[in-house]
Amino acid sequence: MSDILTHIDAGVMTITFNRLDKKNSITSAMYGTMADAVDQARSDAAVRVVLIQGHETIFSAGNDIGDFLNNPPSSKEANVFRFLRSIAALEKPLVAAVAGPAVGIGTTLLFHCDLVYAGDNAAFSMPFVNLGLCPEAASSLLAPRMFGYHRAAEALMLGEPFYAEAAQEVGLVNRVVPPTEVNAMAQTQARKLAAKPLSSLIETKRLMKGAQAQEVLAQMDVEAASFGRMLSEPAAKEAFGAFMEKRKPDFSKL
Ligand code: COA
């Protein structure tokens, strides 16, 4: 079975992470599949809303670290950046259902969603610093804007998980429900949107995003350049090596 499942029903394209044995971590190929699906959603009249979901125990462990090491995103055209630009620029509504851990891009992709529903077991984290890296997905712009600077600094610099209630408090999540209900709840809300006039939804989203839309794409490019450079620097090498060897990283000299 594919690591990314896509189906269209009642005007909703549902994209599901389906790699439970690796905690729904995302390979370059998976980013490519998702970017293509979002591009299809943009042009396909049968799709009015896109919904991204995981499993009731895990949304996503973020980048597949092994794949990342073997296949680092070396240019703006890398699948991961193509996927991020596709969701940031999607005119149609984007909804997410999150249960369990949402690590790295599992959290940062949510900044590009219009509605986010979370299971009460959701654990969000952006551990880029702990990996010797820097933020991506324009999270360095959007987290401070949404959370306030100090809360964003805590999330992005300490990189510790924050949970469903805190995520709702800072505005990342609309509603918290039991994990077994989150995908169904998000699907219900997505279908409600799909029944509305699409032109009004698109215009409303465009007006709400305003000038921020261009700023977000520009910030993604700036972040991608730093992220790409930092991937081959000693801190990231130590962090990823430690993950693969299942030991704690040692940053004492870095
Ligand atoms: N990349 C590659 N493999 C990953 C992964 C990732 N990001 N996250 C988990 N896996 C793999 C583990 O290596 C393990 O594989 P194995 O069974 O072959 O040993 C399997 O998925 C299960 O992971 P495990 O850590 O045992 O699950 P858990 O339930 O104890 O913890 C997480 C789940 C998500 C909290 C934990 O796996 C984690 O922190 N992962 C790394 C997250 C991360 O740093 N992502 C990068 C962000 S840029």
Side-chain angles (χ1 to χ4, degrees):
M1 187 121 55
S2 170
D3 291 337
I4 296 290
L5 305 178
T6 304
H7 80 275
I8 300 170
D9 191 22
V12 178
M13 173 187 275
T14 304
I15 299 175
T16 306
F17 294 118
N18 184 43
R19 196 176 179 232
L20 269 182
D21 58 328
K22 293 291 177 190
K23 299 288 167 182
N24 287 342
S25 57
I26 314 171
T27 61
S28 172
M30 290 164 72
Y31 285 120
T33 305
M34 291 194 292
D36 292 344
V38 175
D39 286 346
Q40 183 203 333
R42 174 172 289 117
S43 57
D44 186 343
V47 179
R48 299 164 70 83
V49 177
V50 178
L51 167 63
I52 301 180
Q53 65 181 21
H55 184 261
E56 64 194 46
T57 60
I58 176 104
F59 182 62
S60 171
N63 288 310
D64 178 306
I65 291 178
D67 184 66
F68 223 56
L69 288 177
N70 296 330
N71 201 4
S74 53
S75 81
K76 272 173 58 178
E77 292 319 306
N79 283 338
V80 57
F81 299 131
R82 212 160 60 76
F83 166 67
L84 288 174
R85 282 196 301 275
S86 75
I87 56 171
L90 182 67
E91 301 86 352
K92 295 177 182 178
L94 182 61
V95 180
V98 181
V103 186
I105 202 164
T107 289
T108 59
L109 73 81
L110 304 175
F111 289 112
H112 305 285
C113 293
D114 303 296
L115 303 176
V116 179
Y117 297 94
D120 58 21
N121 64 344
F124 305 86
S125 59
M126 297 184 283
F128 304 112
V129 166
N130 304 339
L131 293 167
L133 296 171
C134 67
E136 36 75 321
S139 56
S140 58
L141 175 78
L142 297 173
R145 220 167 251 187
M146 184 182 280
F147 301 179
Y149 184 85
H150 288 115
R151 286 193 289 201
E154 196 165 50
L156 283 167
M157 296 173 86
L158 283 176
E160 290 168 356
F162 54 100
Y163 300 96
E165 203 179 309
Q168 187 174 21
E169 197 194 320
V170 294
L172 185 65
V173 159
N174 289 88
R175 208 178 302 174
V176 179
V177 298
T180 49
E181 293 171 21
V182 70
N183 286 359
M185 147 73 78
Q187 186 69 232
T188 299
Q189 301 299 82
R191 287 182 185 211
K192 276 190 210 164
L193 288 175
K196 296 187 187 294
L198 183 57
S199 53
S200 292
L201 289 172
I202 289 176
E203 198 57 17
T204 300
K205 181 166 175 171
R206 193 182 70 79
L207 289 165
M208 283 201 293
K209 299 259 177 186
Q212 182 172 283
Q214 285 313 313
E215 224 182 326
V216 161
L217 293 174
Q219 187 80 356
M220 279 184 180
D221 283 352
V222 175
E223 289 173 345
S226 299
F227 197 93
R229 172 177 49 78
M230 295 180 86
L231 260 179
S232 57
E233 290 180 353
K237 287 210 156 101
E238 168 59 15
F240 288 123
F243 180 82
M244 300 312 278
E245 291 158 22
K246 296 192 189 284
R247 63 171 172 83
K248 270 193 172 331
D250 175 7
F251 297 125
S252 57
K253 296 190 179 58
L254 298 170

